[in-house]
Amino acid sequence: MKILVVGSGGREHALCWAIRRSPLCSHLLAAPGNPGIGQLAELVPIAAEESDALVRFAQSQHVELVVIGPEAPLVAGLADRLAAVGIRAFGPSADAALLEGSKGFMKDMVAKCGIPSAAYGRFTEAEAAKDFIRAKGAPIVVKTDGLAAGKGVVVATSLDEALAAVDLMMAEKAFGAAGEEIVIEEFLEGEEASFFAIVDGQTALPLAAAQDHKRVGDGDQGPNTGGMGAYSPAPVVTEAVAQKIMDRCILPLVKGMAEQGRPYKGVLFAGVMIKDGEPKLLEYNVRFGDPECQVLMARLDSDIVELMLAACETQLAGHRIAWRPQPALVVVMAAKGYPGAYRKGSVIGGLGGAAAIEGVTIFHAGTKSGEDGRILANGGRVLGITAIGSDLAQAQSRAYRAVDRLDWPDGFCRRDIGWRALRG
Ligand code: AMP
Ligand code: GLY
């Protein structure tokens, strides 16, 4: 079967790596991909946002399954466009992807379905938003309704900070149209985890849980990023907690979405806050997490293509998903300066030596090929050094041994990925 993966990050490299293991995959294509993906798939120079060109290409090449990695093309309706021409797409329709595309829609669905979550208000007027904030007090969380590449959330510890966030989003329009409506939420305490399920419109099967490290610096200090590292499984998500997340945060939503005529198909990513063993929903994403996908794919033993096809065809019921016994951990290498301004084009050496360490796989995120085949940095998050081990401590030490074999003076990483799971 001919399969096309859409996207160019570490998540998509990990997906390609897992898809290539499937006997169902005869030919793998990636648009636009990256040099790491290029070792596994034929690269097609079409950006993830170019829906028209992607649909035309998939048709002309007789692609039988399109796997859509990032949220933006899903929210824009790429899965619908493909379905309209008879091509299977793994990923939700635009109607269902609104769960990530509009936090207001998501919060209303969560309330309708009785899913435990933070109390909230939706606002299109700054004054009403500010009155709500003054009435509730700090800490409080202010979010843009629309997609803002992970930057549209302010966890405010003071009233002034919360009021300033309203001005930033609504008056200064720092996030453009995404901030025309905002959501204000109660602050939830606890330990955060990423929980993943695969859904076929009716049936949801749990995949696995992971935890990522959003802050740029060691000890979870400094500004938020897309994620500086992750590990799976997540000790905080015990079997009992996982069952509660399925029963309270996943299954009621899948039922509610189907009842609304927006059946959800694809990967459902629930960001949850866990306190005293009780999960509350923070948000849904309509895709795999990045870098969580890297550790999930390192652990997955089942055939991912078989699961994706079953999800597309509402055939998930009865499937069993198998995992390797070893935990996995990924350390993200980023360009110095990230998440602020950074330089592109520096040469990354030592990749071969790093990848030779037992249990280690290197996923490319923001790289490009230079002349003479050298690999150059081409983004903020550049590499995902992923390792499995007999336990998490071994996975961590393997990943950092690989990091230490790299020759990339322009890069950096956190040195404490996994600390929460490894603290005595
Ligand atoms: P979101 O994009 O909605 O997941 O928000 C980004 C991050 O902000 C989350 O991963 C949490 O760390 C934090 N956050 C969001 N909402 C809340 C909340 N209601 N209470 C506490 N922290 C939150
Ligand atoms: N790592 C968090 C995300 O992908 O949204």
Side-chain angles (χ1 to χ4, degrees), residues 103 118 141 143 150 153 155 185-189 192 214 224 273 282-283:
K103 290 199 191 285
V141 185
K143 303 182 176 185
V153 175
V155 180
E185 275 181 25
E186 166 198 8
F187 173 79
L188 296 180
E189 276 176 57
E192 209 173 325
K214 289 198 160 65
N224 264 324
M273 195 67 98
L282 283 173
E283 63 161 355

Short mmCIF file of all heavy atoms in Angstrom, two decimals, residues 103 118 141 143 150 153 155 185-189 192 214 224 273 282-283, ligand 1:
data_model
loop_
_atom_site.label_atom_id
_atom_site.label_comp_id
_atom_site.label_asym_id
_atom_site.label_seq_id
_atom_site.Cartn_x
_atom_site.Cartn_y
_atom_site.Cartn_z
N LYS A 103 -10.72 26.65 21.41
CA LYS A 103 -10.77 26.24 22.82
C LYS A 103 -12.16 26.48 23.39
O LYS A 103 -12.59 25.75 24.29
CB LYS A 103 -9.71 26.98 23.63
CG LYS A 103 -8.29 26.53 23.29
CD LYS A 103 -7.30 26.92 24.36
CE LYS A 103 -5.87 26.72 23.92
NZ LYS A 103 -5.43 25.33 23.90
N ALA A 118 -11.52 22.43 34.13
CA ALA A 118 -11.52 23.71 34.85
C ALA A 118 -12.78 24.51 34.50
O ALA A 118 -13.23 24.51 33.35
CB ALA A 118 -10.28 24.51 34.43
N VAL A 141 -6.07 31.41 34.27
CA VAL A 141 -5.43 31.09 33.00
C VAL A 141 -6.20 31.75 31.85
O VAL A 141 -7.43 31.65 31.79
CB VAL A 141 -5.38 29.56 32.79
CG1 VAL A 141 -4.62 29.21 31.53
CG2 VAL A 141 -4.72 28.89 34.00
N LYS A 143 -6.52 32.21 27.68
CA LYS A 143 -6.14 31.51 26.44
C LYS A 143 -6.81 32.12 25.23
O LYS A 143 -7.98 32.49 25.29
CB LYS A 143 -6.58 30.03 26.52
CG LYS A 143 -6.05 29.26 27.70
CD LYS A 143 -6.50 27.81 27.66
CE LYS A 143 -5.86 27.05 28.81
NZ LYS A 143 -6.16 25.61 28.80
N GLY A 150 0.86 26.98 20.24
CA GLY A 150 1.23 26.70 21.62
C GLY A 150 1.57 27.92 22.45
O GLY A 150 1.92 27.80 23.62
N VAL A 153 -1.37 30.76 25.52
CA VAL A 153 -1.84 30.45 26.87
C VAL A 153 -0.99 31.22 27.88
O VAL A 153 0.23 31.13 27.86
CB VAL A 153 -1.73 28.93 27.16
CG1 VAL A 153 -2.09 28.62 28.61
CG2 VAL A 153 -2.64 28.15 26.22
N VAL A 155 -0.58 31.48 31.91
CA VAL A 155 -0.93 31.04 33.26
C VAL A 155 -0.53 32.18 34.18
O VAL A 155 0.64 32.37 34.48
CB VAL A 155 -0.21 29.73 33.62
CG1 VAL A 155 -0.58 29.27 35.03
CG2 VAL A 155 -0.55 28.63 32.61
N GLU A 185 -9.91 30.51 32.34
CA GLU A 185 -10.12 29.27 33.08
C GLU A 185 -9.59 29.33 34.49
O GLU A 185 -8.55 29.94 34.75
CB GLU A 185 -9.29 28.14 32.41
CG GLU A 185 -9.93 27.46 31.29
CD GLU A 185 -9.02 26.37 30.73
OE1 GLU A 185 -8.15 25.83 31.46
OE2 GLU A 185 -9.19 26.09 29.55
N GLU A 186 -10.24 28.58 35.33
CA GLU A 186 -9.76 28.30 36.68
C GLU A 186 -8.37 27.64 36.56
O GLU A 186 -8.14 26.83 35.66
CB GLU A 186 -10.77 27.33 37.30
CG GLU A 186 -10.36 26.64 38.55
CD GLU A 186 -11.23 25.39 38.82
OE1 GLU A 186 -12.06 25.00 37.95
OE2 GLU A 186 -11.08 24.81 39.89
N PHE A 187 -7.46 27.96 37.46
CA PHE A 187 -6.13 27.35 37.49
C PHE A 187 -6.22 25.98 38.17
O PHE A 187 -6.78 25.86 39.25
CB PHE A 187 -5.18 28.26 38.28
CG PHE A 187 -3.82 27.66 38.51
CD1 PHE A 187 -2.88 27.66 37.50
CD2 PHE A 187 -3.50 27.09 39.73
CE1 PHE A 187 -1.62 27.10 37.71
CE2 PHE A 187 -2.24 26.52 39.94
CZ PHE A 187 -1.30 26.54 38.92
N LEU A 188 -5.71 24.97 37.49
CA LEU A 188 -5.72 23.61 38.05
C LEU A 188 -4.34 23.26 38.57
O LEU A 188 -3.34 23.48 37.88
CB LEU A 188 -6.13 22.59 36.99
CG LEU A 188 -7.53 22.69 36.41
CD1 LEU A 188 -7.74 21.59 35.37
CD2 LEU A 188 -8.59 22.59 37.50
N GLU A 189 -4.31 22.67 39.76
CA GLU A 189 -3.03 22.22 40.31
C GLU A 189 -2.88 20.73 40.07
O GLU A 189 -3.87 20.02 39.95
CB GLU A 189 -3.02 22.44 41.82
CG GLU A 189 -2.62 23.83 42.22
CD GLU A 189 -2.73 23.98 43.72
OE1 GLU A 189 -2.07 23.19 44.43
OE2 GLU A 189 -3.49 24.86 44.15
N GLU A 192 0.98 17.15 35.34
CA GLU A 192 0.40 17.08 34.01
C GLU A 192 0.89 15.83 33.26
O GLU A 192 2.03 15.43 33.41
CB GLU A 192 0.88 18.33 33.26
CG GLU A 192 -0.06 18.82 32.22
CD GLU A 192 0.41 20.15 31.65
OE1 GLU A 192 0.99 20.98 32.39
OE2 GLU A 192 0.21 20.34 30.44
N LYS A 214 7.81 21.06 29.13
CA LYS A 214 7.49 22.21 28.28
C LYS A 214 8.48 23.37 28.44
O LYS A 214 8.72 24.10 27.49
CB LYS A 214 6.08 22.70 28.61
CG LYS A 214 5.00 21.75 28.13
CD LYS A 214 3.64 22.42 28.06
CE LYS A 214 2.68 21.69 27.17
NZ LYS A 214 2.27 20.37 27.58
N ASN A 224 8.02 28.68 28.07
CA ASN A 224 7.44 27.48 27.49
C ASN A 224 7.97 27.25 26.07
O ASN A 224 8.28 28.19 25.36
CB ASN A 224 5.92 27.61 27.41
CG ASN A 224 5.24 26.95 28.58
OD1 ASN A 224 5.70 25.91 29.07
ND2 ASN A 224 4.18 27.56 29.04
N MET A 273 -4.52 17.03 33.95
CA MET A 273 -3.88 17.41 35.21
C MET A 273 -4.35 16.41 36.25
O MET A 273 -5.56 16.17 36.38
CB MET A 273 -4.32 18.83 35.58
CG MET A 273 -3.49 19.48 36.63
SD MET A 273 -1.79 19.81 36.07
CE MET A 273 -1.87 21.52 35.61
N LEU A 282 -7.28 19.22 30.67
CA LEU A 282 -6.80 20.56 30.36
C LEU A 282 -7.20 20.94 28.95
O LEU A 282 -7.71 22.02 28.70
CB LEU A 282 -5.28 20.62 30.45
CG LEU A 282 -4.63 20.69 31.82
CD1 LEU A 282 -3.13 20.57 31.68
CD2 LEU A 282 -5.00 21.98 32.53
N GLU A 283 -6.93 20.05 28.01
CA GLU A 283 -7.23 20.35 26.61
C GLU A 283 -7.14 19.07 25.79
O GLU A 283 -6.57 18.08 26.22
CB GLU A 283 -6.22 21.35 26.05
CG GLU A 283 -4.82 20.79 26.04
CD GLU A 283 -3.86 21.51 25.11
OE1 GLU A 283 -4.30 22.40 24.37
OE2 GLU A 283 -2.69 21.14 25.10
P1 AMP B 1 -2.92 24.25 26.70
O1 AMP B 1 -2.35 24.64 25.36
O2 AMP B 1 -4.35 24.64 26.90
O3 AMP B 1 -2.60 22.84 27.11
O4 AMP B 1 -2.08 25.08 27.75
C1 AMP B 1 -0.67 25.04 27.75
C2 AMP B 1 -0.15 24.73 29.14
O5 AMP B 1 -0.64 25.69 30.08
C3 AMP B 1 -0.66 23.40 29.67
O6 AMP B 1 0.11 22.34 29.19
C4 AMP B 1 -0.55 23.61 31.15
O7 AMP B 1 0.78 23.42 31.59
C5 AMP B 1 -0.91 25.05 31.31
N1 AMP B 1 -2.36 25.18 31.60
C6 AMP B 1 -3.35 25.31 30.69
N2 AMP B 1 -4.55 25.39 31.30
C7 AMP B 1 -4.33 25.33 32.62
C8 AMP B 1 -5.17 25.36 33.77
N3 AMP B 1 -6.50 25.51 33.68
N4 AMP B 1 -4.58 25.25 34.99
C9 AMP B 1 -3.24 25.11 35.09
N5 AMP B 1 -2.39 25.10 34.05
C10 AMP B 1 -2.91 25.20 32.82
#
